[in-house]
Amino acid sequence: MIPHFPVLSRVLHWLMAVLILAMLFVGVAMVSSLSDYHRLVAIHKPIGILILVLAAIRLVNRLVNPPPPLPTGMPVSLRVVAAASHWLLYGLMFAQPIVGWAMLSAAGYPVALIGTFHLPPILPHDAALYALMRPLHTVLAFALFATFLLHLAAALTHAFVFRDDVFRSMTH
């Protein structure tokens, strides 16, 4: 039996899972629904910044409270894949909102959070930079979604195939 993640780690994990999944679906709805576009953007921006802030909190929490060790019988190759996918998820949780913020800055759009509170631009208003950031934001969204799905598949494999305590360490 492996130890459980601390409560704060579990709360951050599941909160971010819900937020990231919601953001990916909001993003898809934004590009497929012109009638609701502005309402969806008003939701997308603050949730993206919230994910960025929570990713920073989560990273600090992970460094202070390292995850429990994986089962001793787990092959080295799976350990390497697990570690790499976790760090890829962290990288994407930071990169996606930062690139979105940079994209909006380059387009000259404010990042409105609540009411009249706006974040400062992180790039100058520049059409060429926007043209670079826009497809990058989409590619990162697909990468995040694919990594998210692989992470989910791995978690379910631990729960139902390996029947070890890895999934349980994050749920109980």
Side-chain angles (χ1 to χ4, degrees):
M1 182 172 182
I2 62 173
H4 293 260
F5 281 84
V7 172
L8 178 60
S9 300
R10 286 182 273 153
V11 168
L12 288 169
H13 176 269
W14 293 109
L15 176 62
M16 291 194 69
V18 169
L19 289 173
I20 289 170
L21 200 55
M23 280 295 281
L24 291 169
F25 284 110
V26 167
V28 169
M30 283 171 44
V31 296
S32 62
S33 171
L34 293 177
S35 63
D36 293 328
Y37 180 80
H38 294 292
R39 188 170 354 144
L40 292 169
V41 167
I43 295 169
H44 193 77
K45 291 178 188 177
I47 293 177
I49 296 302
L50 179 60
I51 288 172
L52 179 62
V53 169
L54 289 174
I57 292 169
R58 189 170 168 189
L59 180 61
V60 170
N61 179 61
R62 185 182 177 108
L63 296 174
V64 172
N65 298 305
L70 293 170
T72 54
M74 192 171 161
V76 172
S77 59
L78 289 181
R79 290 174 180 274
V80 169
V81 169
S85 68
H86 283 124
W87 288 114
L88 178 61
L89 273 172
Y90 273 92
L92 290 169
M93 288 186 296
F94 280 102
Q96 181 67 351
I98 289 172
V99 168
W101 186 0
M103 177 185 75
L104 293 172
S105 298
Y109 295 127
V111 178
L113 294 182
I114 298 172
T116 59
F117 181 71
H118 297 149
L119 293 177
I122 57 174
L123 283 181
H125 182 208
D126 183 326
L129 284 174
Y130 174 77
L132 185 68
M133 293 293 135
R134 181 68 191 93
L136 181 58
H137 193 61
T138 300
V139 167
L140 289 175
F142 283 120
L144 182 58
F145 191 55
T147 307
F148 184 94
L149 291 177
L150 289 172
H151 181 74
L152 177 63
L156 294 175
T157 300
H158 279 286
F160 299 114
V161 177
F162 298 153
R163 297 180 188 260
D164 56 23
D165 290 329
V166 172
F167 185 78
R168 198 179 162 107
S169 71
M170 188 50 87
T171 58
H172 289 83

